[in-house]
Amino acid sequence: MGLMGDYGALTLRFWADIQDYSESTKDLATHGFLVAFHDNSTFGSTLSSGYLMSPGTYYKVDLRLRKEIRKPPPGGNCNASLTDTNYGAYTEGSCIMECKDKWLFERCGCVNVVPPINRDNYTSCTLSQWANCGLAAYLDWYQRYTETNTANPICTCSMPCEETNYEAKVSSSDISDPYAEKLFENANVRNWMSGISDPYLNISYDSPEDIRKNMMVVEVLFSSAQVSEIREVVTYTANNLLGDIGGVLGLFLGASLFTILEFFQFIIISIAKHCCNWVPGSGKKKYESAEMS
């Protein structure tokens, strides 16, 4: 994607394989894909973001790059020490995925999918492990993760100091009959459809109608080369606080910071005079008389 606009568009085709859905999922309200757009330094996560896209639809996605730069303490609340995870560069999404993997591994000794960078040597759950432990542990984790009114959240994820995101504007239209028929005329497409068919399971893809029911097309492009950058800036410092305190005191009491210092000096001298019989300058006079003698 070295060009902007339609000339640099990347066209992706997805096949939903609707006929191969299991009995427990074929009656769901939605069929299709959850698509997330992310920087190439991360592997992305659909738990915290993503667009639900359905087969039989042609999507056009206009992306725009956005960078967020946050300040660490004391001015901000990001954690500069968080850089890499099992899912690439540190993001909130990768932190959540690591939290899920840790929860599953501690309870079942396996994870549902091994992360791309497997630094913790996780292993995938077998069907037996997933049925006996993994699924219940995941549902328990997800329920706890989605609880927002708890004092101790299951996943504590700090904000990264630098983050790259993509703002997406998505438009869509049904795949037209001529488009499906033109694809079906391609011998490579027909051969591929025949290869994923399975007569034994009564799965057969052999018509343009099957393309309209199962294929999803996503056209991704950048309409602008401009980058949106958001920076955290400390707008109220300790100097601003002292200046405001001095201004308020000067307005209501007719006093300044130096007046306050003189007031404390007066209190200290008064206490010394009445409690210790101290006379201002007496120490200096004794020192001078000692030198003369």
Side-chain angles (χ1 to χ4, degrees):
M1 297 179 65
L3 301 175
M4 294 186 303
D6 294 333
Y7 294 102
L10 173 66
T11 302
L12 304 172
R13 296 189 181 99
F14 299 83
W15 189 266
D17 208 2
I18 298 296
Q19 295 185 32
D20 199 26
Y21 275 37
S22 66
E23 293 294 328
S24 61
T25 58
K26 69 179 183 179
D27 294 329
L28 293 176
T30 59
H31 291 158
F33 307 88
L34 193 59
V35 181
F37 302 97
H38 58 88
D39 188 63
N40 60 5
S41 63
T42 68
F43 289 89
S45 169
T46 56
L47 282 173
S48 56
S49 63
Y51 295 86
L52 186 63
M53 297 182 174
S54 59
T57 310
Y58 194 108
Y59 292 93
K60 190 170 185 178
V61 182
D62 181 5
L63 295 179
R64 183 164 183 173
L65 184 63
R66 184 185 69 183
K67 291 185 177 180
E68 297 183 23
I69 302 175
R70 306 179 180 93
K71 291 190 69 65
N77 59 357
C78 73
N79 191 340
S81 64
L82 301 174
T83 55
D84 298 320
T85 68
N86 286 336
Y87 293 87
Y90 179 87
T91 62
E92 184 180 6
S94 64
C95 174
I96 294 171
M97 295 295 288
E98 283 199 328
C99 172
K100 171 186 68 70
D101 291 343
K102 183 179 179 181
W103 177 272
L104 290 175
F105 191 76
E106 288 177 350
R107 283 151 183 79
C108 304
C110 61
V111 297
N112 55 341
V113 178
V114 172
I117 307 173
N118 192 11
R119 299 182 300 182
D120 298 312
N121 297 321
Y122 291 138
T123 57
S124 296
C125 293
T126 63
L127 289 177
S128 177
Q129 287 177 311
W130 185 252
N132 295 328
C133 178
L135 180 58
Y138 172 77
L139 294 177
D140 182 33
W141 172 85
Y142 190 76
Q143 181 181 3
R144 294 169 183 265
Y145 164 67
T146 53
E147 288 179 357
T148 58
N149 296 324
T150 178
N152 299 312
I154 189 173
C155 297
T156 305
C157 295
S158 302
M159 298 298 292
C161 290
E162 292 190 15
E163 188 174 10
T164 301
N165 294 312
Y166 289 91
E167 297 176 340
K169 295 181 180 179
V170 181
S171 57
S172 64
S173 176
D174 292 339
I175 291 180
S176 65
D177 292 343
Y179 183 85
E181 292 169 358
K182 184 176 180 180
L183 279 179
F184 190 73
E185 290 174 0
N186 189 312
N188 292 329
V189 174
R190 291 198 306 272
N191 291 336
W192 178 81
M193 293 172 62
S194 176
I196 62 174
S197 300
D198 191 339
Y200 178 77
L201 298 175
N202 197 25
I203 298 175
S204 178
Y205 300 114
D206 54 7
S207 69
E209 181 65 20
D210 292 322
I211 292 179
R212 285 192 293 270
K213 288 182 178 180
N214 291 273
M215 182 170 287
M216 179 185 79
V217 182
V218 179
E219 182 181 331
V220 185
L221 57 92
F222 286 93
S223 62
S224 173
Q226 294 182 352
V227 178
S228 175
E229 187 173 283
I230 302 174
R231 287 180 175 267
E232 278 190 353
V233 179
V234 178
T235 59
Y236 196 81
T237 63
N239 293 333
N240 299 127
L241 177 61
L242 292 176
D244 289 343
I245 293 175
V248 171
L249 291 176
L251 178 63
F252 290 99
L253 302 178
S256 65
L257 182 60
F258 293 103
T259 306
I260 296 174
L261 295 176
E262 291 175 353
F263 175 72
F264 282 112
Q265 182 184 15
F266 170 75
I267 293 177
I268 294 171
I269 293 175
S270 298
I271 294 174
K273 288 173 61 177
H274 290 86
C275 298
C276 305
N277 294 323
W278 178 75
V279 178
S282 59
K284 183 178 180 181
K285 291 179 180 179
K286 290 180 181 179
Y287 175 75
E288 290 175 352
S289 61
E291 282 186 344
M292 292 176 63
S293 63

